[in-house]
Amino acid sequence: MLHLVLTSNSERNSKLICALKHLMSATFHNMPALKIMPLIPPQDILSSDLISSLQYVFFVSKNAVAIFFKNYEKYAKALPTQIKFLCVGPGTASEIRKYSAADAEIIFPENDVHDSYSLYLKIHKLVRPNSKILIVKGEGGREFFKTAMSKDGHEIYELEIYKRLSKDYSGHEMSIFSNLDSQDDLAILFTSPDGIKGLMPQLEKYCKPELLKRTLYLILHENHRDLLPNKKCEIVSLEANIIHAKLASIFEPMKYNIKH
């Protein structure tokens, strides 16, 4: 049996599992590697005058959108009416639409690669010179976008409103992995460095060493390989057809009814 572990957020995992079930036979595990903890709003870390002078707000995730508009209402109300919103994918764009004006402009990459680099390629020639951009994010991350836009001469501000914590699974929840045998194959989709750091120690504790040696690790970026030394890693995107194609190229299609 092929076991595919998806470690993104539960909603995204569920959508991918639903799509993949039409393409292959496998046991799917919805196992978010991280949990989100909102931070206590700081006292006036950004002035209302600054917020009202912004041209763009970059929300790095759906969590950033929801927490900002619910917990940082003072800042949300101070945004100028002509503010433009940036994000890396359609899911976050849909979340922004829930809170923004009906005619608000939301810009995101329209290709299959939803990351900061793709967003930068789309907007860096479109953004007005010396623009003020606020990045609403969790603790750490998105350094590429900040650095690249700063080098282009823009004023970049950051608002960290949540932290990502490792999600600890119980021994009972992890026992599914200790019970896998030599006839089983395991593939794990990691979507972030924090996810790798949080879940790998738990997998190493419960999985048999010989199983982990032949486990396939699906990652989103080349630099994720550094966190998985001596592991079999393949780069994919968060699209069911891309994940399916990669699995079909590695595992025996007939064995798992993986459709080409």
Side-chain angles (χ1 to χ4, degrees):
M1 173 65 70
L2 172 62
H3 291 258
L4 178 59
V5 180
L6 296 96
T7 68
S8 186
N9 63 73
S10 185
E11 179 182 357
R12 180 183 288 164
N13 290 344
S14 295
K15 290 180 179 178
L16 282 172
I17 289 171
C18 183
L20 287 166
K21 281 183 175 179
H22 295 289
L23 300 171
M24 58 187 293
S25 296
T27 297
F28 299 97
H29 304 276
N30 186 341
M31 297 188 67
L34 303 171
K35 57 184 178 181
I36 300 298
M37 185 181 79
L39 298 174
I40 298 174
Q43 292 295 320
D44 298 323
I45 189 172
L46 301 173
S47 69
S48 295
D49 288 342
L50 171 60
I51 295 295
S52 63
S53 68
L54 295 170
Q55 283 83 46
Y56 299 88
V57 176
F58 172 25
F59 288 109
V60 306
S61 67
K62 294 174 67 174
N63 287 312
V65 178
I67 295 171
F68 177 81
F69 283 101
K70 292 176 181 178
N71 296 5
Y72 294 74
E73 189 176 6
K74 178 181 178 180
Y75 292 158
K77 288 183 176 179
L79 291 174
T81 56
Q82 298 303 311
I83 192 74
K84 293 180 174 63
F85 297 107
L86 309 174
C87 60
V88 298
T92 305
S94 296
E95 191 71 12
I96 294 171
R97 187 62 70 194
K98 294 179 183 178
Y99 300 96
S100 63
D103 60 348
E105 185 173 356
I106 304 173
I107 305 169
F108 60 92
E110 295 173 354
N111 56 24
D112 289 338
V113 182
H114 301 143
D115 58 19
S116 296
Y117 180 67
S118 296
L119 176 63
Y120 174 75
L121 291 179
K122 182 178 179 70
I123 70 164
H124 77 284
K125 293 183 178 179
L126 303 177
V127 174
R128 290 182 296 173
N130 304 311
S131 287
K132 293 182 179 180
I133 304 171
L134 174 65
I135 303 175
V136 182
K137 52 183 278 191
E139 286 186 334
R142 303 299 178 183
E143 292 303 317
F144 168 79
F145 187 86
K146 175 185 176 181
T147 301
M149 296 301 283
S150 295
K151 286 182 178 179
D152 287 348
H154 304 295
E155 294 183 40
I156 308 298
Y157 303 89
E158 293 182 309
L159 182 62
E160 295 185 339
I161 62 176
Y162 64 88
K163 63 169 56 179
R164 292 173 291 271
L165 302 175
S166 298
K167 184 170 182 179
D168 295 324
Y169 287 92
S170 68
H172 174 72
E173 290 172 307
M174 298 298 291
S175 64
I176 54 174
F177 299 108
S178 58
N179 292 329
L180 298 182
D181 59 32
S182 60
Q183 301 301 311
D184 293 310
D185 289 312
L186 180 62
I188 305 171
L189 172 62
F190 281 117
T191 59
S192 71
D194 287 336
I196 296 172
K197 295 174 185 176
L199 194 56
M200 274 306 297
Q202 298 182 70
L203 290 168
E204 289 169 346
K205 179 179 179 180
Y206 289 97
C207 285
K208 298 171 183 175
E210 58 270 21
L211 176 63
L212 283 179
K213 286 181 181 178
R214 53 189 176 84
T215 293
L216 172 66
Y217 298 88
L218 302 175
I219 56 178
L220 302 187
H221 301 284
E222 186 66 35
N223 59 8
H224 291 179
R225 292 183 191 274
D226 296 337
L227 298 173
L228 295 164
N230 304 315
K231 307 291 187 186
K232 184 177 182 180
C233 299
E234 295 288 343
I235 295 177
V236 296
S237 64
L238 289 177
E239 304 288 336
N241 61 320
I242 301 297
I243 296 170
H244 155 257
K246 183 62 67 174
L247 293 173
S249 70
I250 293 172
F251 295 107
E252 299 176 38
M254 293 298 293
K255 183 178 179 181
Y256 299 119
N257 194 29
I258 302 178
K259 304 171 186 176
H260 281 292

